[in-house]
Amino acid sequence: MKLELTCLSQAEIETIHENALKILSDIGMLFPAGEALSVFENAGADIDNKTVRIKESLVNQALKTTQKRNEVTLFGMDPEKDICFDSHDPGLSCMTMATSVIDPHSGEKRSATDKDLARLVSMADR
């Protein structure tokens, strides 16, 4: 028997998608990196003072041309450990190698510490 976990209904997924498209096109996202701005501009996004707004048509084009799940492989040092998503269930991992974290108390981004690593490993273990 294969375990299936469903958290959201199809209607909820569609609502999230529709709202994400609205946020991308109306509000946009701030991208301070010049290289990212160039990529977005070349793709046809609207850019105003480093804020990128992406029309639904551009999102749909990206979704059509991006790699599909069965085309993605995570390569291991040993080819027998490669993970091909057409034949493996999803896996979970935590970012124990993060160089920056969002402080859980202040909400501010800061450099990661050994204590942060210990917390992340402890959470993953649970």
Side-chain angles (χ1 to χ4, degrees), residues 27-96:
I27 299 170
M29 298 174 292
L30 180 64
F31 279 89
E35 186 177 349
L37 293 172
S38 295
V39 170
F40 280 114
E41 185 174 38
N42 290 337
D46 297 322
I47 301 172
D48 179 28
N49 196 25
K50 299 185 181 180
T51 298
V52 177
R53 289 179 184 80
I54 306 170
K55 295 181 177 112
E56 182 177 351
S57 59
L58 185 55
V59 173
N60 289 334
Q61 179 61 30
L63 290 173
K64 286 180 190 173
T65 58
T66 192
Q67 282 188 317
K68 305 305 179 241
R69 178 181 173 81
N70 64 345
E71 300 170 338
V72 175
T73 300
L74 301 178
F75 295 98
M77 291 174 58
D78 176 352
E80 289 188 20
K81 304 291 185 186
D82 289 355
I83 297 175
C84 302
F85 286 101
D86 61 340
S87 60
H88 283 79
D89 290 330
L92 299 175
S93 65
C94 62
M95 293 297 297
T96 57

Side-chain angles (χ1 to χ4, degrees), residues 17-28:
H17 180 73
E18 290 167 9
N19 283 292
L21 290 173
K22 186 166 180 57
I23 290 168
L24 288 171
S25 66
D26 296 351
I27 299 170

